[in-house]
Amino acid sequence: MRHNTLKGILTLMALILLTCAAASAQNQTPQGILIQSSPQGALVTLKGGVTVSGVTPARFQQLMVGTYQVEFLKDGYEKYTTRVNIDPRLQSQLSVDLSPKRRWKAAARSLLIPGWGQRYSDKTTKGFAFSVLALGATTAFLIADDNYSGKKDDYDRLLVQYDSLRYHGSLSDLRDLQPRLDQAQSDAYNAETARQITLGGLISIWALNVLDAYLFFPDRRESF
């Protein structure tokens, strides 16, 4: 009787140990989604039913299900966005190769919009400065161009009037008009000079902005 009781106790203990081992193995099974990137160290954000973030390699074990938008951000690399379908019953994994930013892309952006290439290169302050300078130079040129158009129109109007008086007017009328015509010509010439100066300034800022984006593009090296 005692033998049977001991055997029953041992059998029960064995069953308990087996159950605990199975539960432990089940708990050790990785759940959620593992996200990796090359190079590592990218900020990854999943947006869907919930929003979670981490730094690759990252394992998200939150209860997530359905389609999520995945966004990768890392200094010196292009932003990468994709979608992934997460099934909580399965272990999911996502690996991506990030593309490094290129200096010619920075220069091309600055050629289109001053300061854009600098912001692309993560130089936000310098990009803002170039944008403000280009905006100011463009405004100055537009004002100078409008002023030149007005002065030239005044000169052309007086010139037509002067030519008409040469054939149908008196000598005294010509003498009275001559100083006004000379002043209008001088004003038009000065306005054209100011217009050329502002245009040169705008072109210089634009060109400097492109050269800066290309020549001073950051040469990043991976650090470990």
Side-chain angles (χ1 to χ4, degrees):
M1 187 65 153
R2 184 178 301 174
H3 176 74
N4 291 336
T5 302
L6 181 59
K7 184 177 180 181
I9 293 174
L10 292 176
T11 302
L12 180 60
M13 291 180 61
L15 289 175
I16 292 174
L17 290 174
L18 288 174
T19 302
C20 292
S24 177
Q26 184 177 2
N27 291 333
Q28 290 176 359
T29 302
Q31 301 296 327
I33 182 170
L34 173 64
I35 298 182
Q36 303 182 84
S37 68
S38 178
Q40 298 180 356
L43 173 64
V44 58
T45 302
L46 282 75
K47 298 179 181 179
V50 295
T51 299
V52 293
S53 298
V55 177
T56 59
R59 185 186 299 279
F60 298 98
Q61 295 181 307
Q62 292 85 347
L63 181 59
M64 296 185 294
V65 59
T67 301
Y68 279 73
Q69 177 179 300
V70 187
E71 178 183 273
F72 294 84
L73 293 175
K74 183 174 175 62
D75 286 348
Y77 290 83
E78 302 282 359
K79 175 182 176 181
Y80 185 87
T81 303
T82 187
R83 289 184 176 274
V84 63
N85 187 49
I86 300 177
D87 186 342
R89 298 169 300 178
L90 303 173
Q91 167 63 23
S92 303
Q93 182 170 335
L94 175 64
S95 298
V96 301
D97 292 326
L98 300 179
S99 300
K101 293 181 177 180
R102 305 295 183 184
R103 69 175 65 241
W104 69 266
K105 290 185 178 181
R109 282 168 167 76
S110 285
L111 182 62
L112 293 175
I113 302 176
W116 188 13
Q118 284 75 15
R119 289 190 291 274
Y120 169 80
S121 305
D122 303 315
K123 297 180 179 180
T124 306
T125 302
K126 184 183 287 188
F128 177 76
F130 272 115
S131 296
V132 171
L133 286 173
L135 179 60
T138 301
T139 302
F141 168 73
L142 292 176
I143 293 174
D145 183 66
D146 182 69
N147 182 57
Y148 167 71
S149 297
K151 298 297 183 183
K152 186 175 184 301
D153 289 343
D154 291 341
Y155 171 72
D156 291 341
R157 177 176 54 80
L158 289 175
L159 183 61
V160 170
Q161 185 178 350
Y162 182 85
D163 290 339
S164 177
L165 288 176
R166 288 176 59 188
Y167 297 100
H168 304 96
S170 63
L171 183 59
S172 60
D173 291 335
L174 285 175
R175 288 176 178 174
D176 292 339
L177 185 60
Q178 185 66 52
R180 295 170 55 196
L181 180 63
D182 291 342
Q183 184 61 47
Q185 184 180 27
S186 176
D187 291 343
Y189 175 78
N190 292 336
E192 183 180 16
T193 301
R195 176 178 177 272
Q196 292 174 346
I197 291 174
T198 56
L199 178 59
L202 175 59
I203 294 175
S204 298
I205 291 174
W206 212 294
L208 180 62
N209 145 77
V210 175
L211 288 174
D212 177 85
Y214 184 83
L215 296 178
F216 296 99
F217 183 81
D219 185 17
R220 295 181 172 89
R221 293 285 188 268
E222 280 300 307
S223 59
F224 297 89

